[in-house]
Amino acid sequence: MDIISQLQEQINQIAGIAFNTFGTLQRDAPPVRLSPNYPEPPANPKEDAANFAEQPKLMSAALVKAAKQFDALVAALPLAEGGEEAQLKRIAELQSENDAVGQDLQRQLEAAEKELKQVQELFSQAADNCLNLKKPN
């Protein structure tokens, strides 16, 4: 897998961790009284409260680990050599190479279409010859 695909995969993983973290925090957060006008929310069992206190630590550790892996992948990217002028020159070279390959492919396509037309004509002639051999009753 190339470095760009690895970066994309790592970003997807970070997004998944963040999504799951926010969802878990929202789901498991203890109720809070918003106003004295509202009744007191029911208390959570003690074991859930202890588990809830540990979850953010574990989830944030997973998020930090994924972010560090992303940073390591970014650091592994090759550095641009020669600055912008060299990059533009390389792009121009690649574009001219692409144009040459495109012209070659176009010639091959035209030759293949010509050959296909010949094969279709020969097939048509062969089919006509086969039909002409059989006399109607």
Side-chain angles (χ1 to χ4, degrees):
M1 184 184 302
D2 68 333
I3 190 79
I4 300 298
S5 297
Q6 290 176 1
L7 283 169
Q8 290 171 335
E9 185 66 32
Q10 194 63 32
I11 288 173
N12 287 339
Q13 184 177 359
I14 289 171
I17 291 170
F19 181 80
N20 289 335
T21 299
F22 299 146
T24 301
L25 290 174
Q26 181 182 11
R27 179 194 69 204
D28 296 342
V32 176
R33 187 173 184 182
L34 298 175
S35 167
N37 299 334
Y38 293 113
E40 190 68 34
N44 282 349
K46 291 295 179 194
E47 60 189 52
D48 286 345
N51 189 22
F52 178 75
E54 193 63 30
Q55 281 181 343
K57 294 175 187 173
L58 295 173
M59 292 178 186
S60 62
L63 191 59
V64 168
K65 180 181 176 186
K68 286 183 179 180
Q69 289 174 344
F70 179 80
D71 289 341
L73 288 171
V74 168
L77 285 172
L79 296 175
E81 297 176 11
E84 186 176 347
E85 296 83 20
Q87 289 178 1
L88 291 174
K89 182 180 177 185
R90 178 69 177 141
I91 290 172
E93 291 170 359
L94 290 172
Q95 185 64 41
S96 64
E97 182 180 330
N98 185 42
D99 291 343
V101 169
Q103 290 173 357
D104 185 43
L105 287 173
Q106 185 63 35
R107 284 191 295 273
Q108 290 178 9
L109 176 64
E110 290 169 0
E113 287 174 345
K114 183 179 179 183
E115 188 173 342
L116 175 63
K117 195 173 202 177
Q118 290 173 347
V119 168
Q120 287 173 335
E121 288 175 8
L122 290 173
F123 181 77
S124 177
Q125 289 175 1
D128 288 344
N129 289 340
C130 287
L131 292 174
N132 289 333
L133 289 176
K134 293 183 180 179
K135 302 282 184 191
N137 291 339

